[in-house]
Amino acid sequence: MDVYAKRGKNGGWYPQCLYRWNAGVCPKHTNPKSPCSKCLHRGWEAINPKILLRHLLGSSNPVGIYPLHPDGTCRFLVFDFDAHSEASDPAQTRKEAETLRMICTQLGINCLVERSRSGKGSHVWIFFKEPVKASTARQFGMLLLNKGSQLVPLRSYQCYDRMFPGSRARAGNGETHRTRQRISAVSSHCPSTVLR
């Protein structure tokens, strides 16, 4: 079962538990700082096509996903490009994401490009047919960034921020990659992917 997260009222993301804030079961009812990872009663809610469709159509309550499986593998890699300051040009993030998409196209790799939730950044998604070790996925990503930029006229990535899964990500209770996929920025070279 795939666990997913929702954004809290005050920011932050939390996994969707069937018993969250249930007075008879959830320890958060009496101690809001009680971590889900230590709860004996947690029951993760499975993500389903209805939740994904609402998210993809721009729901005001987007979902986040945990990129790592418990065995340290992943089924996708995401490159995050951000305008890091008010003076940064959002067009540069789009240019760099498009450059990575071009590199992928030249190498026969399908990818998906999306605008970030803020509208100032971009994400490039690559989906794998089978689960791969997260460390292998990251090495592959670094090769695309470092060696691939030689295929196109780009000296450096000024807006590249990070990859998901991250180098210090922890499966099950670790980092969440937040997405709010307003599909207006998706490239025409989208892969067909199968959700498991």
Side-chain angles (χ1 to χ4, degrees), residues 124-156:
V124 178
W125 294 71
I126 297 174
F127 294 89
F128 306 118
K129 289 182 180 181
E130 301 293 328
V132 284
K133 287 175 48 177
S135 59
T136 302
R138 288 183 57 75
Q139 288 171 352
F140 171 70
M142 290 308 297
L143 283 171
L144 282 177
L145 291 172
N146 294 332
K147 301 295 182 185
S149 62
Q150 297 169 10
L151 299 173
V152 294
L154 182 68
R155 290 188 197 155
S156 68

Side-chain angles (χ1 to χ4, degrees), residues 63-100:
V63 298
I65 53 178
Y66 295 94
L68 284 179
H69 296 181
D71 65 357
T73 62
C74 62
R75 293 189 63 99
F76 62 85
L77 181 65
V78 182
F79 298 84
D80 185 20
F81 295 90
D82 285 319
H84 295 285
S85 70
E86 291 296 320
S88 297
D89 182 9
Q92 181 66 25
T93 66
R94 289 190 294 277
K95 177 183 175 188
E96 290 182 19
E98 179 60 18
T99 297
L100 183 56

